PDB file of all heavy atoms in Angstrom:
ATOM      1  N   GLY A  17       0.817  -1.200   0.000  1.00 96.00           N
ATOM      2  CA  GLY A  17       0.000   0.000   0.000  1.00 96.00           C
ATOM      3  C   GLY A  17       0.854   1.254   0.000  1.00 96.00           C
ATOM      4  O   GLY A  17       2.079   1.205   0.061  1.00 96.00           O
ATOM      5  N   GLU A  18       0.182   2.383  -0.068  1.00 93.00           N
ATOM      6  CA  GLU A  18       0.870   3.671  -0.157  1.00 93.00           C
ATOM      7  C   GLU A  18       1.674   3.991   1.099  1.00 93.00           C
ATOM      8  O   GLU A  18       2.738   4.577   1.046  1.00 93.00           O
ATOM      9  CB  GLU A  18      -0.157   4.776  -0.403  1.00 93.00           C
ATOM     10  CG  GLU A  18       0.426   6.140  -0.707  1.00 93.00           C
ATOM     11  CD  GLU A  18       0.979   6.275  -2.125  1.00 93.00           C
ATOM     12  OE1 GLU A  18       0.391   5.709  -3.047  1.00 93.00           O
ATOM     13  OE2 GLU A  18       2.006   6.953  -2.284  1.00 93.00           O
ATOM     14  N   LYS A  19       1.141   3.607   2.260  1.00 93.00           N
ATOM     15  CA  LYS A  19       1.810   3.939   3.521  1.00 93.00           C
ATOM     16  C   LYS A  19       1.578   2.816   4.520  1.00 93.00           C
ATOM     17  O   LYS A  19       0.519   2.735   5.147  1.00 93.00           O
ATOM     18  CB  LYS A  19       1.280   5.260   4.069  1.00 93.00           C
ATOM     19  CG  LYS A  19       2.014   5.764   5.309  1.00 93.00           C
ATOM     20  CD  LYS A  19       1.443   7.094   5.781  1.00 93.00           C
ATOM     21  CE  LYS A  19       2.177   7.599   7.020  1.00 93.00           C
ATOM     22  NZ  LYS A  19       1.608   8.873   7.517  1.00 93.00           N
ATOM     23  N   ALA A  20       2.559   1.940   4.673  1.00 95.00           N
ATOM     24  CA  ALA A  20       2.402   0.781   5.552  1.00 95.00           C
ATOM     25  C   ALA A  20       2.459   1.175   7.030  1.00 95.00           C
ATOM     26  O   ALA A  20       1.597   0.794   7.823  1.00 95.00           O
ATOM     27  CB  ALA A  20       3.478  -0.255   5.246  1.00 95.00           C
ATOM     28  N   PHE A  21       3.478   1.919   7.407  1.00 97.00           N
ATOM     29  CA  PHE A  21       3.632   2.328   8.806  1.00 97.00           C
ATOM     30  C   PHE A  21       2.929   3.658   9.058  1.00 97.00           C
ATOM     31  O   PHE A  21       2.926   4.551   8.211  1.00 97.00           O
ATOM     32  CB  PHE A  21       5.115   2.465   9.171  1.00 97.00           C
ATOM     33  CG  PHE A  21       5.833   1.155   9.305  1.00 97.00           C
ATOM     34  CD1 PHE A  21       6.676   0.699   8.295  1.00 97.00           C
ATOM     35  CD2 PHE A  21       5.661   0.360  10.428  1.00 97.00           C
ATOM     36  CE1 PHE A  21       7.334  -0.516   8.410  1.00 97.00           C
ATOM     37  CE2 PHE A  21       6.311  -0.849  10.556  1.00 97.00           C
ATOM     38  CZ  PHE A  21       7.155  -1.295   9.543  1.00 97.00           C
ATOM     39  N   GLY A  22       2.329   3.764  10.239  1.00 96.00           N
ATOM     40  CA  GLY A  22       1.654   4.998  10.605  1.00 96.00           C
ATOM     41  C   GLY A  22       1.539   5.107  12.116  1.00 96.00           C
ATOM     42  O   GLY A  22       2.160   4.327  12.857  1.00 96.00           O
ATOM     43  N   LEU A  23       0.734   6.044  12.585  1.00 96.00           N
ATOM     44  CA  LEU A  23       0.520   6.256  14.017  1.00 96.00           C
ATOM     45  C   LEU A  23      -0.968   6.185  14.310  1.00 96.00           C
ATOM     46  O   LEU A  23      -1.790   6.684  13.538  1.00 96.00           O
ATOM     47  CB  LEU A  23       1.066   7.611  14.455  1.00 96.00           C
ATOM     48  CG  LEU A  23       2.568   7.867  14.255  1.00 96.00           C
ATOM     49  CD1 LEU A  23       2.915   9.302  14.652  1.00 96.00           C
ATOM     50  CD2 LEU A  23       3.404   6.873  15.056  1.00 96.00           C
ATOM     51  N   ASP A  24      -1.312   5.565  15.443  1.00 94.00           N
ATOM     52  CA  ASP A  24      -2.720   5.527  15.831  1.00 94.00           C
ATOM     53  C   ASP A  24      -3.082   6.795  16.600  1.00 94.00           C
ATOM     54  O   ASP A  24      -2.272   7.732  16.708  1.00 94.00           O
ATOM     55  CB  ASP A  24      -3.027   4.266  16.649  1.00 94.00           C
ATOM     56  CG  ASP A  24      -2.249   4.194  17.967  1.00 94.00           C
ATOM     57  OD1 ASP A  24      -1.724   5.237  18.421  1.00 94.00           O
ATOM     58  OD2 ASP A  24      -2.173   3.100  18.553  1.00 94.00           O
ATOM     59  N   SER A  25      -4.293   6.841  17.158  1.00 93.00           N
ATOM     60  CA  SER A  25      -4.774   8.040  17.849  1.00 93.00           C
ATOM     61  C   SER A  25      -3.968   8.374  19.100  1.00 93.00           C
ATOM     62  O   SER A  25      -3.992   9.510  19.581  1.00 93.00           O
ATOM     63  CB  SER A  25      -6.255   7.865  18.227  1.00 93.00           C
ATOM     64  OG  SER A  25      -6.425   6.718  19.038  1.00 93.00           O
ATOM     65  N   ASN A  26      -3.243   7.374  19.621  1.00 94.00           N
ATOM     66  CA  ASN A  26      -2.407   7.608  20.801  1.00 94.00           C
ATOM     67  C   ASN A  26      -0.956   7.920  20.438  1.00 94.00           C
ATOM     68  O   ASN A  26      -0.120   8.092  21.322  1.00 94.00           O
ATOM     69  CB  ASN A  26      -2.438   6.375  21.711  1.00 94.00           C
ATOM     70  CG  ASN A  26      -3.819   6.096  22.265  1.00 94.00           C
ATOM     71  OD1 ASN A  26      -4.532   7.025  22.655  1.00 94.00           O
ATOM     72  ND2 ASN A  26      -4.210   4.830  22.292  1.00 94.00           N
ATOM     73  N   GLY A  27      -0.678   7.969  19.149  1.00 96.00           N
ATOM     74  CA  GLY A  27       0.681   8.252  18.711  1.00 96.00           C
ATOM     75  C   GLY A  27       1.575   7.029  18.679  1.00 96.00           C
ATOM     76  O   GLY A  27       2.801   7.165  18.553  1.00 96.00           O
ATOM     77  N   ASP A  28       0.980   5.834  18.794  1.00 96.00           N
ATOM     78  CA  ASP A  28       1.757   4.596  18.762  1.00 96.00           C
ATOM     79  C   ASP A  28       1.905   4.076  17.335  1.00 96.00           C
ATOM     80  O   ASP A  28       1.007   4.244  16.505  1.00 96.00           O
ATOM     81  CB  ASP A  28       1.083   3.516  19.621  1.00 96.00           C
ATOM     82  CG  ASP A  28       1.134   3.853  21.103  1.00 96.00           C
ATOM     83  OD1 ASP A  28       2.120   4.487  21.532  1.00 96.00           O
ATOM     84  OD2 ASP A  28       0.174   3.499  21.827  1.00 96.00           O
ATOM     85  N   LEU A  29       3.026   3.418  17.084  1.00 97.00           N
ATOM     86  CA  LEU A  29       3.329   2.901  15.754  1.00 97.00           C
ATOM     87  C   LEU A  29       2.365   1.781  15.356  1.00 97.00           C
ATOM     88  O   LEU A  29       2.036   0.915  16.160  1.00 97.00           O
ATOM     89  CB  LEU A  29       4.765   2.387  15.720  1.00 97.00           C
ATOM     90  CG  LEU A  29       5.313   1.932  14.361  1.00 97.00           C
ATOM     91  CD1 LEU A  29       5.483   3.128  13.433  1.00 97.00           C
ATOM     92  CD2 LEU A  29       6.634   1.191  14.541  1.00 97.00           C
ATOM     93  N   THR A  30       1.929   1.796  14.108  1.00 97.00           N
ATOM     94  CA  THR A  30       1.083   0.737  13.556  1.00 97.00           C
ATOM     95  C   THR A  30       1.641   0.294  12.202  1.00 97.00           C
ATOM     96  O   THR A  30       2.377   1.030  11.549  1.00 97.00           O
ATOM     97  CB  THR A  30      -0.369   1.203  13.349  1.00 97.00           C
ATOM     98  OG1 THR A  30      -0.384   2.278  12.400  1.00 97.00           O
ATOM     99  CG2 THR A  30      -0.993   1.649  14.649  1.00 97.00           C
ATOM    100  N   LEU A  31       1.272  -0.909  11.813  1.00 98.00           N
ATOM    101  CA  LEU A  31       1.616  -1.436  10.495  1.00 98.00           C
ATOM    102  C   LEU A  31       0.353  -2.022   9.888  1.00 98.00           C
ATOM    103  O   LEU A  31      -0.276  -2.901  10.474  1.00 98.00           O
ATOM    104  CB  LEU A  31       2.705  -2.510  10.593  1.00 98.00           C
ATOM    105  CG  LEU A  31       3.007  -3.308   9.314  1.00 98.00           C
ATOM    106  CD1 LEU A  31       3.451  -2.385   8.189  1.00 98.00           C
ATOM    107  CD2 LEU A  31       4.076  -4.369   9.599  1.00 98.00           C
ATOM    108  N   THR A  32      -0.024  -1.519   8.727  1.00 97.00           N
ATOM    109  CA  THR A  32      -1.238  -1.976   8.062  1.00 97.00           C
ATOM    110  C   THR A  32      -0.922  -2.327   6.613  1.00 97.00           C
ATOM    111  O   THR A  32      -0.444  -1.483   5.852  1.00 97.00           O
ATOM    112  CB  THR A  32      -2.335  -0.897   8.093  1.00 97.00           C
ATOM    113  OG1 THR A  32      -2.557  -0.485   9.446  1.00 97.00           O
ATOM    114  CG2 THR A  32      -3.626  -1.421   7.498  1.00 97.00           C
ATOM    115  N   PHE A  33      -1.177  -3.570   6.244  1.00 97.00           N
ATOM    116  CA  PHE A  33      -0.971  -4.001   4.866  1.00 97.00           C
ATOM    117  C   PHE A  33      -2.241  -3.722   4.057  1.00 97.00           C
ATOM    118  O   PHE A  33      -3.334  -4.167   4.422  1.00 97.00           O
ATOM    119  CB  PHE A  33      -0.648  -5.496   4.814  1.00 97.00           C
ATOM    120  CG  PHE A  33       0.683  -5.861   5.399  1.00 97.00           C
ATOM    121  CD1 PHE A  33       0.768  -6.587   6.570  1.00 97.00           C
ATOM    122  CD2 PHE A  33       1.863  -5.465   4.771  1.00 97.00           C
ATOM    123  CE1 PHE A  33       1.995  -6.936   7.113  1.00 97.00           C
ATOM    124  CE2 PHE A  33       3.099  -5.798   5.306  1.00 97.00           C
ATOM    125  CZ  PHE A  33       3.170  -6.524   6.474  1.00 97.00           C
ATOM    126  N   LYS A  34      -2.094  -2.962   2.984  1.00 97.00           N
ATOM    127  CA  LYS A  34      -3.199  -2.679   2.070  1.00 97.00           C
ATOM    128  C   LYS A  34      -2.744  -2.955   0.635  1.00 97.00           C
ATOM    129  O   LYS A  34      -2.584  -2.038  -0.177  1.00 97.00           O
ATOM    130  CB  LYS A  34      -3.669  -1.234   2.216  1.00 97.00           C
ATOM    131  CG  LYS A  34      -4.311  -0.923   3.565  1.00 97.00           C
ATOM    132  CD  LYS A  34      -4.798   0.521   3.623  1.00 97.00           C
ATOM    133  CE  LYS A  34      -5.472   0.809   4.960  1.00 97.00           C
ATOM    134  NZ  LYS A  34      -5.946   2.221   5.026  1.00 97.00           N
ATOM    135  N   PRO A  35      -2.520  -4.231   0.315  1.00 98.00           N
ATOM    136  CA  PRO A  35      -2.001  -4.561  -1.019  1.00 98.00           C
ATOM    137  C   PRO A  35      -3.004  -4.289  -2.122  1.00 98.00           C
ATOM    138  O   PRO A  35      -4.224  -4.310  -1.896  1.00 98.00           O
ATOM    139  CB  PRO A  35      -1.701  -6.057  -0.904  1.00 98.00           C
ATOM    140  CG  PRO A  35      -2.642  -6.551   0.140  1.00 98.00           C
ATOM    141  CD  PRO A  35      -2.743  -5.434   1.146  1.00 98.00           C
ATOM    142  N   VAL A  36      -2.478  -4.027  -3.297  1.00 98.00           N
ATOM    143  CA  VAL A  36      -3.303  -3.824  -4.493  1.00 98.00           C
ATOM    144  C   VAL A  36      -2.921  -4.927  -5.480  1.00 98.00           C
ATOM    145  O   VAL A  36      -2.088  -4.736  -6.370  1.00 98.00           O
ATOM    146  CB  VAL A  36      -3.066  -2.427  -5.108  1.00 98.00           C
ATOM    147  CG1 VAL A  36      -3.985  -2.212  -6.306  1.00 98.00           C
ATOM    148  CG2 VAL A  36      -3.274  -1.335  -4.068  1.00 98.00           C
ATOM    149  N   LEU A  37      -3.515  -6.097  -5.298  1.00 98.00           N
ATOM    150  CA  LEU A  37      -3.112  -7.278  -6.064  1.00 98.00           C
ATOM    151  C   LEU A  37      -4.312  -7.915  -6.753  1.00 98.00           C
ATOM    152  O   LEU A  37      -5.360  -8.110  -6.153  1.00 98.00           O
ATOM    153  CB  LEU A  37      -2.466  -8.320  -5.136  1.00 98.00           C
ATOM    154  CG  LEU A  37      -1.205  -7.889  -4.389  1.00 98.00           C
ATOM    155  CD1 LEU A  37      -0.833  -8.930  -3.350  1.00 98.00           C
ATOM    156  CD2 LEU A  37      -0.055  -7.664  -5.364  1.00 98.00           C
ATOM    157  N   LYS A  38      -4.125  -8.261  -8.025  1.00 97.00           N
ATOM    158  CA  LYS A  38      -5.140  -9.012  -8.752  1.00 97.00           C
ATOM    159  C   LYS A  38      -5.114 -10.469  -8.299  1.00 97.00           C
ATOM    160  O   LYS A  38      -4.069 -11.006  -7.936  1.00 97.00           O
ATOM    161  CB  LYS A  38      -4.892  -8.947 -10.259  1.00 97.00           C
ATOM    162  CG  LYS A  38      -5.192  -7.609 -10.888  1.00 97.00           C
ATOM    163  CD  LYS A  38      -6.694  -7.315 -10.925  1.00 97.00           C
ATOM    164  CE  LYS A  38      -7.431  -8.143 -11.940  1.00 97.00           C
ATOM    165  NZ  LYS A  38      -8.876  -7.794 -12.024  1.00 97.00           N
ATOM    166  N   GLY A  39      -6.254 -11.105  -8.360  1.00 97.00           N
ATOM    167  CA  GLY A  39      -6.350 -12.484  -7.921  1.00 97.00           C
ATOM    168  C   GLY A  39      -5.438 -13.431  -8.683  1.00 97.00           C
ATOM    169  O   GLY A  39      -4.936 -14.408  -8.119  1.00 97.00           O
ATOM    170  N   TRP A  40      -5.184 -13.145  -9.963  1.00 97.00           N
ATOM    171  CA  TRP A  40      -4.351 -14.055 -10.757  1.00 97.00           C
ATOM    172  C   TRP A  40      -2.880 -14.024 -10.341  1.00 97.00           C
ATOM    173  O   TRP A  40      -2.102 -14.894 -10.755  1.00 97.00           O
ATOM    174  CB  TRP A  40      -4.496 -13.777 -12.255  1.00 97.00           C
ATOM    175  CG  TRP A  40      -4.147 -12.396 -12.717  1.00 97.00           C
ATOM    176  CD1 TRP A  40      -5.015 -11.377 -12.993  1.00 97.00           C
ATOM    177  CD2 TRP A  40      -2.841 -11.875 -13.002  1.00 97.00           C
ATOM    178  NE1 TRP A  40      -4.337 -10.259 -13.414  1.00 97.00           N
ATOM    179  CE2 TRP A  40      -3.005 -10.539 -13.434  1.00 97.00           C
ATOM    180  CE3 TRP A  40      -1.557 -12.404 -12.939  1.00 97.00           C
ATOM    181  CZ2 TRP A  40      -1.925  -9.731 -13.790  1.00 97.00           C
ATOM    182  CZ3 TRP A  40      -0.480 -11.597 -13.294  1.00 97.00           C
ATOM    183  CH2 TRP A  40      -0.676 -10.280 -13.710  1.00 97.00           C
ATOM    184  N   LEU A  41      -2.493 -13.069  -9.518  1.00 97.00           N
ATOM    185  CA  LEU A  41      -1.104 -13.017  -9.039  1.00 97.00           C
ATOM    186  C   LEU A  41      -0.836 -14.048  -7.939  1.00 97.00           C
ATOM    187  O   LEU A  41       0.323 -14.328  -7.624  1.00 97.00           O
ATOM    188  CB  LEU A  41      -0.775 -11.614  -8.525  1.00 97.00           C
ATOM    189  CG  LEU A  41      -0.538 -10.546  -9.601  1.00 97.00           C
ATOM    190  CD1 LEU A  41      -0.536  -9.156  -8.979  1.00 97.00           C
ATOM    191  CD2 LEU A  41       0.769 -10.800 -10.329  1.00 97.00           C
ATOM    192  N   PHE A  42      -1.891 -14.604  -7.363  1.00 97.00           N
ATOM    193  CA  PHE A  42      -1.717 -15.626  -6.333  1.00 97.00           C
ATOM    194  C   PHE A  42      -1.506 -16.988  -6.999  1.00 97.00           C
ATOM    195  O   PHE A  42      -2.077 -17.277  -8.044  1.00 97.00           O
ATOM    196  CB  PHE A  42      -2.942 -15.655  -5.411  1.00 97.00           C
ATOM    197  CG  PHE A  42      -3.069 -14.438  -4.546  1.00 97.00           C
ATOM    198  CD1 PHE A  42      -3.627 -13.268  -5.038  1.00 97.00           C
ATOM    199  CD2 PHE A  42      -2.611 -14.448  -3.237  1.00 97.00           C
ATOM    200  CE1 PHE A  42      -3.730 -12.130  -4.253  1.00 97.00           C
ATOM    201  CE2 PHE A  42      -2.703 -13.315  -2.434  1.00 97.00           C
ATOM    202  CZ  PHE A  42      -3.258 -12.153  -2.945  1.00 97.00           C
ATOM    203  N   THR A  43      -0.675 -17.815  -6.379  1.00 97.00           N
ATOM    204  CA  THR A  43      -0.302 -19.088  -6.976  1.00 97.00           C
ATOM    205  C   THR A  43      -1.494 -20.043  -7.071  1.00 97.00           C
ATOM    206  O   THR A  43      -2.379 -20.039  -6.217  1.00 97.00           O
ATOM    207  CB  THR A  43       0.802 -19.780  -6.158  1.00 97.00           C
ATOM    208  OG1 THR A  43       0.308 -20.028  -4.827  1.00 97.00           O
ATOM    209  CG2 THR A  43       2.040 -18.912  -6.069  1.00 97.00           C
ATOM    210  N   LYS A  44      -1.464 -20.869  -8.114  1.00 96.00           N
ATOM    211  CA  LYS A  44      -2.489 -21.904  -8.283  1.00 96.00           C
ATOM    212  C   LYS A  44      -2.033 -23.239  -7.698  1.00 96.00           C
ATOM    213  O   LYS A  44      -2.851 -24.110  -7.429  1.00 96.00           O
ATOM    214  CB  LYS A  44      -2.820 -22.077  -9.758  1.00 96.00           C
ATOM    215  CG  LYS A  44      -3.537 -20.898 -10.389  1.00 96.00           C
ATOM    216  CD  LYS A  44      -3.872 -21.196 -11.837  1.00 96.00           C
ATOM    217  CE  LYS A  44      -4.622 -20.041 -12.481  1.00 96.00           C
ATOM    218  NZ  LYS A  44      -4.956 -20.325 -13.899  1.00 96.00           N
ATOM    219  N   ILE A  45      -0.721 -23.399  -7.539  1.00 96.00           N
ATOM    220  CA  ILE A  45      -0.162 -24.643  -7.002  1.00 96.00           C
ATOM    221  C   ILE A  45       0.869 -24.299  -5.928  1.00 96.00           C
ATOM    222  O   ILE A  45       1.344 -23.163  -5.852  1.00 96.00           O
ATOM    223  CB  ILE A  45       0.505 -25.491  -8.107  1.00 96.00           C
ATOM    224  CG1 ILE A  45       1.643 -24.698  -8.767  1.00 96.00           C
ATOM    225  CG2 ILE A  45      -0.525 -25.940  -9.144  1.00 96.00           C
ATOM    226  CD1 ILE A  45       2.453 -25.499  -9.758  1.00 96.00           C
ATOM    227  N   ALA A  46       1.210 -25.294  -5.116  1.00 96.00           N
ATOM    228  CA  ALA A  46       2.257 -25.097  -4.103  1.00 96.00           C
ATOM    229  C   ALA A  46       3.601 -24.875  -4.803  1.00 96.00           C
ATOM    230  O   ALA A  46       3.864 -25.467  -5.851  1.00 96.00           O
ATOM    231  CB  ALA A  46       2.331 -26.316  -3.194  1.00 96.00           C
ATOM    232  N   LYS A  47       4.438 -24.030  -4.220  1.00 92.00           N
ATOM    233  CA  LYS A  47       5.716 -23.707  -4.845  1.00 92.00           C
ATOM    234  C   LYS A  47       6.829 -23.590  -3.818  1.00 92.00           C
ATOM    235  O   LYS A  47       6.586 -23.282  -2.650  1.00 92.00           O
ATOM    236  CB  LYS A  47       5.614 -22.384  -5.619  1.00 92.00           C
ATOM    237  CG  LYS A  47       4.831 -22.460  -6.906  1.00 92.00           C
ATOM    238  CD  LYS A  47       4.988 -21.183  -7.713  1.00 92.00           C
ATOM    239  CE  LYS A  47       4.309 -21.303  -9.061  1.00 92.00           C
ATOM    240  NZ  LYS A  47       4.531 -20.099  -9.901  1.00 92.00           N
ATOM    241  N   LYS A  48       8.044 -23.838  -4.287  1.00 94.00           N
ATOM    242  CA  LYS A  48       9.235 -23.595  -3.483  1.00 94.00           C
ATOM    243  C   LYS A  48       9.867 -22.293  -3.957  1.00 94.00           C
ATOM    244  O   LYS A  48      10.001 -22.063  -5.145  1.00 94.00           O
ATOM    245  CB  LYS A  48      10.226 -24.747  -3.612  1.00 94.00           C
ATOM    246  CG  LYS A  48       9.764 -26.041  -2.961  1.00 94.00           C
ATOM    247  CD  LYS A  48      10.837 -27.118  -3.062  1.00 94.00           C
ATOM    248  CE  LYS A  48      10.388 -28.401  -2.361  1.00 94.00           C
ATOM    249  NZ  LYS A  48      11.435 -29.459  -2.437  1.00 94.00           N
ATOM    250  N   ILE A  49      10.252 -21.433  -3.010  1.00 91.00           N
ATOM    251  CA  ILE A  49      10.873 -20.162  -3.366  1.00 91.00           C
ATOM    252  C   ILE A  49      12.143 -19.963  -2.539  1.00 91.00           C
ATOM    253  O   ILE A  49      12.373 -20.655  -1.542  1.00 91.00           O
ATOM    254  CB  ILE A  49       9.926 -18.969  -3.120  1.00 91.00           C
ATOM    255  CG1 ILE A  49       9.658 -18.806  -1.610  1.00 91.00           C
ATOM    256  CG2 ILE A  49       8.640 -19.125  -3.892  1.00 91.00           C
ATOM    257  CD1 ILE A  49       9.045 -17.469  -1.258  1.00 91.00           C
ATOM    258  N   SER A  50      12.953 -19.022  -2.962  1.00 91.00           N
ATOM    259  CA  SER A  50      14.135 -18.610  -2.206  1.00 91.00           C
ATOM    260  C   SER A  50      14.011 -17.134  -1.899  1.00 91.00           C
ATOM    261  O   SER A  50      13.562 -16.356  -2.731  1.00 91.00           O
ATOM    262  CB  SER A  50      15.410 -18.874  -3.011  1.00 91.00           C
ATOM    263  OG  SER A  50      15.586 -20.247  -3.268  1.00 91.00           O
ATOM    264  N   TYR A  51      14.378 -16.761  -0.679  1.00 89.00           N
ATOM    265  CA  TYR A  51      14.364 -15.350  -0.319  1.00 89.00           C
ATOM    266  C   TYR A  51      15.552 -15.057   0.593  1.00 89.00           C
ATOM    267  O   TYR A  51      16.106 -15.955   1.234  1.00 89.00           O
ATOM    268  CB  TYR A  51      13.050 -14.955   0.360  1.00 89.00           C
ATOM    269  CG  TYR A  51      12.957 -15.319   1.827  1.00 89.00           C
ATOM    270  CD1 TYR A  51      13.183 -14.370   2.818  1.00 89.00           C
ATOM    271  CD2 TYR A  51      12.642 -16.617   2.223  1.00 89.00           C
ATOM    272  CE1 TYR A  51      13.119 -14.692   4.163  1.00 89.00           C
ATOM    273  CE2 TYR A  51      12.561 -16.949   3.574  1.00 89.00           C
ATOM    274  CZ  TYR A  51      12.805 -15.991   4.526  1.00 89.00           C
ATOM    275  OH  TYR A  51      12.744 -16.306   5.856  1.00 89.00           O
ATOM    276  N   PHE A  52      15.945 -13.789   0.648  1.00 89.00           N
ATOM    277  CA  PHE A  52      17.085 -13.362   1.455  1.00 89.00           C
ATOM    278  C   PHE A  52      16.598 -12.939   2.829  1.00 89.00           C
ATOM    279  O   PHE A  52      15.749 -12.059   2.955  1.00 89.00           O
ATOM    280  CB  PHE A  52      17.799 -12.195   0.769  1.00 89.00           C
ATOM    281  CG  PHE A  52      19.058 -11.761   1.455  1.00 89.00           C
ATOM    282  CD1 PHE A  52      20.174 -12.577   1.480  1.00 89.00           C
ATOM    283  CD2 PHE A  52      19.127 -10.525   2.079  1.00 89.00           C
ATOM    284  CE1 PHE A  52      21.339 -12.174   2.117  1.00 89.00           C
ATOM    285  CE2 PHE A  52      20.286 -10.110   2.709  1.00 89.00           C
ATOM    286  CZ  PHE A  52      21.399 -10.944   2.730  1.00 89.00           C
ATOM    287  N   ASP A  53      17.105 -13.592   3.882  1.00 87.00           N
ATOM    288  CA  ASP A  53      16.633 -13.299   5.243  1.00 87.00           C
ATOM    289  C   ASP A  53      17.496 -12.274   5.968  1.00 87.00           C
ATOM    290  O   ASP A  53      17.388 -12.111   7.185  1.00 87.00           O
ATOM    291  CB  ASP A  53      16.559 -14.584   6.064  1.00 87.00           C
ATOM    292  CG  ASP A  53      17.937 -15.141   6.426  1.00 87.00           C
ATOM    293  OD1 ASP A  53      18.951 -14.672   5.859  1.00 87.00           O
ATOM    294  OD2 ASP A  53      18.012 -16.045   7.289  1.00 87.00           O
ATOM    295  N   GLY A  54      18.340 -11.579   5.222  1.00 85.00           N
ATOM    296  CA  GLY A  54      19.222 -10.580   5.814  1.00 85.00           C
ATOM    297  C   GLY A  54      20.655 -11.034   5.901  1.00 85.00           C
ATOM    298  O   GLY A  54      21.566 -10.209   5.983  1.00 85.00           O
ATOM    299  N   SER A  55      20.861 -12.354   5.858  1.00 87.00           N
ATOM    300  CA  SER A  55      22.223 -12.884   5.932  1.00 87.00           C
ATOM    301  C   SER A  55      22.500 -13.963   4.892  1.00 87.00           C
ATOM    302  O   SER A  55      23.625 -14.141   4.463  1.00 87.00           O
ATOM    303  CB  SER A  55      22.498 -13.447   7.333  1.00 87.00           C
ATOM    304  OG  SER A  55      21.599 -14.502   7.644  1.00 87.00           O
ATOM    305  N   GLN A  56      21.437 -14.676   4.480  1.00 89.00           N
ATOM    306  CA  GLN A  56      21.630 -15.761   3.516  1.00 89.00           C
ATOM    307  C   GLN A  56      20.329 -16.058   2.779  1.00 89.00           C
ATOM    308  O   GLN A  56      19.253 -15.624   3.186  1.00 89.00           O
ATOM    309  CB  GLN A  56      22.106 -17.024   4.234  1.00 89.00           C
ATOM    310  CG  GLN A  56      21.113 -17.544   5.264  1.00 89.00           C
ATOM    311  CD  GLN A  56      21.606 -18.770   6.003  1.00 89.00           C
ATOM    312  OE1 GLN A  56      22.414 -19.527   5.493  1.00 89.00           O
ATOM    313  NE2 GLN A  56      21.109 -18.974   7.219  1.00 89.00           N
ATOM    314  N   LEU A  57      20.448 -16.802   1.673  1.00 91.00           N
ATOM    315  CA  LEU A  57      19.269 -17.221   0.936  1.00 91.00           C
ATOM    316  C   LEU A  57      18.605 -18.384   1.664  1.00 91.00           C
ATOM    317  O   LEU A  57      19.270 -19.335   2.080  1.00 91.00           O
ATOM    318  CB  LEU A  57      19.638 -17.642  -0.485  1.00 91.00           C
ATOM    319  CG  LEU A  57      19.831 -16.526  -1.512  1.00 91.00           C
ATOM    320  CD1 LEU A  57      20.300 -17.111  -2.837  1.00 91.00           C
ATOM    321  CD2 LEU A  57      18.543 -15.736  -1.711  1.00 91.00           C
ATOM    322  N   MET A  58      17.303 -18.312   1.809  1.00 90.00           N
ATOM    323  CA  MET A  58      16.537 -19.348   2.478  1.00 90.00           C
ATOM    324  C   MET A  58      15.558 -19.968   1.491  1.00 90.00           C
ATOM    325  O   MET A  58      14.909 -19.268   0.707  1.00 90.00           O
ATOM    326  CB  MET A  58      15.772 -18.759   3.656  1.00 90.00           C
ATOM    327  CG  MET A  58      16.649 -18.099   4.715  1.00 90.00           C
ATOM    328  SD  MET A  58      17.632 -19.297   5.644  1.00 90.00           S
ATOM    329  CE  MET A  58      16.337 -20.123   6.570  1.00 90.00           C
ATOM    330  N   ASP A  59      15.442 -21.290   1.523  1.00 93.00           N
ATOM    331  CA  ASP A  59      14.473 -22.000   0.694  1.00 93.00           C
ATOM    332  C   ASP A  59      13.258 -22.357   1.533  1.00 93.00           C
ATOM    333  O   ASP A  59      13.391 -22.937   2.616  1.00 93.00           O
ATOM    334  CB  ASP A  59      15.096 -23.271   0.114  1.00 93.00           C
ATOM    335  CG  ASP A  59      16.239 -22.978  -0.841  1.00 93.00           C
ATOM    336  OD1 ASP A  59      16.129 -21.979  -1.577  1.00 93.00           O
ATOM    337  OD2 ASP A  59      17.218 -23.740  -0.851  1.00 93.00           O
ATOM    338  N   VAL A  60      12.077 -22.001   1.046  1.00 93.00           N
ATOM    339  CA  VAL A  60      10.848 -22.313   1.766  1.00 93.00           C
ATOM    340  C   VAL A  60       9.808 -22.844   0.785  1.00 93.00           C
ATOM    341  O   VAL A  60       9.839 -22.547  -0.409  1.00 93.00           O
ATOM    342  CB  VAL A  60      10.268 -21.074   2.498  1.00 93.00           C
ATOM    343  CG1 VAL A  60      11.211 -20.588   3.579  1.00 93.00           C
ATOM    344  CG2 VAL A  60       9.969 -19.958   1.516  1.00 93.00           C
TER     345      VAL A  60
END
């Protein structure tokens, strides 16, 4: 979304996901992926 992090009425930090995704972008089958966890590539 346009702004993930924000502040609530008390001034506390919040995180709100507001993705703009078409349904066809979601997988139709189970998949294995690799991503970087900050130190190394991880397979999930």
Side-chain angles (χ1 to χ4, degrees):
E18 188 76 37
K19 186 179 180 182
F21 287 103
L23 300 176
D24 62 17
S25 58
N26 296 319
D28 292 328
L29 186 69
T30 62
L31 171 59
T32 306
F33 292 111
K34 293 182 178 180
V36 183
L37 299 170
K38 288 290 288 183
W40 58 260
L41 284 167
F42 291 82
T43 61
K44 292 182 179 180
I45 60 174
K47 287 190 175 184
K48 291 183 178 181
I49 66 165
S50 297
Y51 80 100
F52 185 68
D53 71 348
S55 60
Q56 61 182 334
L57 279 176
M58 301 290 291
D59 295 323
V60 296

